[in-house]
Amino acid sequence: MTQLKRTPLHDRHLALGAKLTPFAGFEMPLQYDGIMAEHKAVRTAAGLFDISHMGEFAVSGAGAESFLQSLAVNDVAALQVGQAQYSAICRPDGGLLDDLLIYRRENGYMLVVNAANIAGDFDWLRAHAGADVTLQDISDSTALIAVQGPHSRKVLEAAFGEQLAGLEFYHFSETSAGGAPAIISRTGYTGELGFEIYTSPDAAPDVWDDLLRAGTEFGIRPAGLGARDTLRLEMKYCLYGNDISVDTNPIEAGLGWITKLDKGPFIGSQAIAAVKAAGPDRRLVCLVLEERAVPRPGYPILAAGEPVGTVTSGTQSLTLKQGIALGYVARGFTKTGTELAVEIRGRRAAARVVKPPFVSGTSLMD
Amino acid sequence: MSIPDGLWYSKDHEWARLEDDHAVIGITEFAQGELGDIIFVEFPKVGQKFSGGDTFGTVEAVKTVADLFMPLDGEIIEVNNALDEEPDRVNSDPYGAGWLVKVKLSVPGGTGDLLDAAGYKELIG
């Protein structure tokens, strides 16, 4: 077995008593005091996440924009310097290779990719890059810390004296944190007001400590991947490997809103346009369970007793105190309000298709 | 890690406290820690009979689900209904308020191949 990689904050996690778990080749904190308490802290106060496992690539050169435009589903040309964009890259058949963030910096772009896909994505980019594009995998020299929750702005301002009121959703600032250069971006994976701080591995422990110290009066808690998962699921944010993969396309995954078919051709655009024109055979839907039961990935979804789909992500919503799930469901059964069932260890639990997100009224746009 | 003396432990991380002709059964401190925050417990019905090793219910935690295994032969005479409202009692007090079921034992006083506290401590290292 290959050795699990550790983030620059590994010692901090041990000192905080985290329960560690292998994730995408990294040894990551699953939880500290408990998923429920961490989830609640993020929804009501603030949570501090180490997400340094995420991958980062630098893309520069005269051809950078047209190169990214030819791979990414979203419109890279629409990005201003200081802005970030949610996007994805696909195979020619429209299968999703990854979902990612693209940051437009002064002298090029930064791509933020899923940890499990770092090597595959980089190979894919390299295979398609011309001589006028410079690619660099900066994952190992980049630490990433997220502060998420209604009080996250106050925590950051208290920790670093930075005024962040002007930093809009999906914008970032090239600044410093804890005395070291950093990118602070108003992005996240929880559905709350939140910020992500890209810094160096050397500076990361100080940044983490500063945020925890400054955040105490605002109720901050360190939060692990367990809470990250329950939080993102309440918002219907896709998790690569669960809800999206090379076997799913952006249209059926509900990512049509980031797929700009009118921007010009990109890898996969023809296949995706064909799916869109014909209508997808299945769609990723949100299910709420109408009885006490917890859906889990792989559980069958039934309509009138017949299988019509499969759960891809599921949990107990800690906010709603109900079972919630994402799953692909066949055409004809995807409309909001459709009554379905999830088969849980041989028992059928009634479920209903609902509109995303599961939880609304969060601090996301505060 | 709390492993009280006087209880009997299964390799599946259940405990049993023998009281006359019946036993109180729960999951261990170790088990609740591994499961994490517990959302609810699916209980058997009062009157159901089980043999040692049978699945008698499930525990749903946020991150995972686990079967419950009966440590001894017997018939369910009571389930801890308080857990319906406060399932976190299993996390906070697994040997006390977080007990799961009471069983009328087929063989009163028998402990089968259950471990004592020292044996269980060795098992979980």
Side-chain angles (χ1 to χ4, degrees), chain B residues 32-106:
Chain B
Q32 72 77 22
E34 290 296 301
L35 288 169
D37 289 329
I38 288 164
I39 304 164
F40 65 82
V41 179
E42 233 167 36
F43 287 120
K45 290 197 168 54
V46 170
Q48 271 185 276
K49 289 181 180 158
F50 296 95
S51 300
D54 285 356
T55 303
F56 71 95
T58 52
V59 180
E60 289 277 5
V62 175
K63 226 21 215 171
T64 188
V65 57
D67 283 330
L68 293 166
F69 297 101
M70 188 58 74
L72 294 161
D73 298 358
E75 178 186 332
I76 305 290
I77 52 173
E78 193 180 341
V79 301
N80 186 359
N81 287 318
L83 299 182
D84 279 354
E85 292 297 317
E86 296 177 66
D88 54 314
R89 287 182 179 195
V90 182
N91 292 116
S92 58
D93 191 10
Y95 301 110
W99 65 276
L100 300 178
V101 295
K102 280 184 191 161
V103 179
K104 185 169 188 289
L105 296 171
S106 307

Side-chain angles (χ1 to χ4, degrees), chain B residues 22-36:
Chain B
H22 67 273
V24 181
I25 287 161
I27 65 169
T28 64
E29 169 86 29
F30 174 80
Q32 72 77 22
E34 290 296 301
L35 288 169

